């Protein structure tokens, strides 16, 4: 199989390149993602809120295919073919849920497109190039992308609104997007559950002050945003105060479900488990 390098698009420069783990000689996949090395296993804590900072900017290097119809505008084609479908999906290589992306840059012709500068004619002024073969209509090229990724880690401290409570768990919505569950085994033993009638449908709204704290409740079930949901009852803490609104918890496990990420939390301190 023969291959060649063809020019695509226009040359664009970029700066602030972060360290990237790469293997330039491995071309076996049409879609590979390589990210910068990360050493820390627990997210940093915000000193004001006490919550973990789980949103990270990650510069990644991807080896992508490009359809012939997108050769004139390769970046627009890469967005449509590969990058847009990644939004709000869990990616195992980036170790988190991709929230957004930016700064899409084609890799430099002389060092990235062919794997070695010796394969490029130094006497010819190249723009960005892609690898093609006589057996495949698609072109293949390296691309730099900056991703914003939600990367919760075990031991991180998160906060979310209680959206459902049952005798077996408390359901929490983090950032109004991500689901988390606190099972009864990880709820303090001096808390107790007050059940409602079976399958009772309740609609609740709640007012909030400027700090986002809960105010007047107009129903038995609320999450601080006026969302309607099914309530089986509510938990009360050791002082008999109903648990609701914002709940701060610690991540104890993470589960990948298809392209999503489910968070399992705990309200217990290490000494209580």
């Amino acid at each position: 199989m023969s291959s060649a390098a063809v020019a695509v698009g226009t040359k664009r420069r970029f700066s602030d390149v972060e360290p990237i783990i790469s293997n330039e000689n491995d071309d076996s996949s049409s879609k590979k993602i390589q990210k910068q090395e990360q050493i820390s296993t627990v997210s940093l804590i915000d000193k004001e809120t006490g919550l973990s900072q789980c949103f990270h900017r990650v510069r990644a290097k991807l080896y992508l295919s490009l359809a012939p119809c997108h050769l004139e505008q390769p970046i627009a084609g890469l967005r449509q073919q590969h990058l847009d479908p990644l939004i709000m999906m869990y990616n195992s290589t980036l170790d988190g849920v991709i929230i957004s992306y930016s700064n899409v840059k084609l890799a430099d012709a002389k060092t990235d497109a062919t794997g070695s500068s010796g394969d490029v004619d130094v006497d010819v002024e190249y723009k960005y190039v892609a690898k093609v073969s006589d057996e495949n209509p698609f072109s293949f090229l390296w691309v730099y992308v900056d991703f914003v990724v939600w990367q919760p880690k075990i031991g991180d401290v998160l906060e979310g609104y209680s959206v459902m409570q049952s005798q077996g768990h408390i359901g929490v919505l983090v950032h109004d997007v991500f689901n988390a569950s606190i099972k009864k085994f990880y709820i303090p033993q001096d808390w107790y559950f007050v059940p409602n009638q079976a399958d009772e449908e309740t609609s609740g709204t709640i007012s909030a002050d400027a700090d986002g704290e809960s105010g007047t409740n107009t129903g038995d079930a609320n999450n601080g945003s006026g969302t309607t949901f099914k309530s089986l009852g509510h938990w009360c803490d050791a002082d008999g105060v109903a648990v609701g609104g914002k709940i701060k918890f610690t991540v104890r496990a993470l589960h990948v479900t298809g392209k999503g990420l489910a968070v399992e939390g705990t309200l217990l301190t290490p000494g209580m488990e």
Side-chain angles (χ1 to χ4, degrees), residues 17-149:
V17 178
E18 300 172 0
I20 294 176
I21 305 172
S22 62
N23 181 5
E24 298 286 348
N25 297 322
D26 183 7
D27 295 336
S28 59
S29 173
S30 63
K31 189 174 188 177
K32 297 184 293 185
I33 300 179
Q34 301 169 350
K35 68 168 183 174
Q36 67 183 56
E37 185 175 6
Q38 294 187 351
I39 299 175
S40 176
T41 57
V42 179
S43 303
L44 298 176
I45 299 294
D46 188 307
K47 294 181 179 180
E48 294 184 1
T49 64
L51 302 176
S52 300
Q53 300 175 349
C54 298
F55 290 97
H56 302 279
R57 173 184 173 273
V58 180
R59 170 158 288 193
K61 186 178 181 182
L62 294 76
Y63 189 64
L64 303 176
S65 62
L66 183 66
C69 61
H70 294 303
L71 288 177
E72 290 295 328
Q73 297 182 345
I75 292 181
L78 293 170
R79 289 176 181 271
Q80 179 181 339
Q81 285 183 245
H82 302 287
L83 299 179
D84 288 346
L86 295 177
I87 299 299
M88 297 307 297
M89 296 292 181
Y90 176 81
N91 185 278
S92 58
T93 303
L94 298 180
D95 194 24
V97 179
I98 296 175
I99 305 300
S100 65
Y101 67 87
S102 61
N103 299 328
V104 182
K105 308 291 183 182
L106 303 182
D108 180 78
K110 294 185 178 181
T111 58
D112 291 305
T114 59
S116 64
S117 59
D119 295 334
V120 178
D121 188 349
V122 295
D123 296 327
V124 179
E125 182 179 355
Y126 283 91
K127 295 181 179 181
Y128 290 110
V129 299
K131 182 179 291 186
V132 298
S133 69
D134 55 5
E135 298 179 359
N136 195 326
F138 287 81
S139 306
F140 297 87
L141 66 164
W142 287 102
V143 182
Y144 290 98
V145 184
D146 288 343
F147 290 102
V148 174
V149 185

Side-chain angles (χ1 to χ4, degrees), residues 165 193-200 202 220-221 230-234:
Q165 299 185 24
F193 183 74
V194 179
N196 289 339
Q197 293 182 359
D199 297 329
E200 178 182 356
T202 60
D220 292 333
K230 182 174 291 188
S231 172
L232 302 178
H234 64 273

Side-chain angles (χ1 to χ4, degrees), residues 2 29 48 97 101 116 146-147 149 153-154 158 162 165 168 173 176-177 186 199 256 269 271:
S2 61
S29 173
E48 294 184 1
V97 179
Y101 67 87
S116 64
D146 288 343
F147 290 102
V149 185
K153 306 291 184 183
I154 295 176
L158 303 180
S162 171
Q165 299 185 24
L173 195 62
D176 292 330
V177 175
Y186 304 102
D199 297 329
V256 179
T269 60

Side-chain angles (χ1 to χ4, degrees), residues 211-264:
D211 296 329
E213 297 297 329
S214 59
T216 303
N217 182 14
T218 61
D220 292 333
N222 69 78
N223 69 346
S225 59
T227 303
T228 300
F229 57 92
K230 182 174 291 188
S231 172
L232 302 178
H234 64 273
W235 282 86
C236 294
D237 61 18
D239 297 325
V241 178
V243 176
K246 289 184 178 180
I247 296 179
K248 185 181 295 186
F249 63 95
T250 303
V251 178
R252 67 170 305 274
L254 298 168
H255 306 285
V256 179
T257 56
K259 291 295 184 178
L261 182 65
V263 178
E264 185 176 332

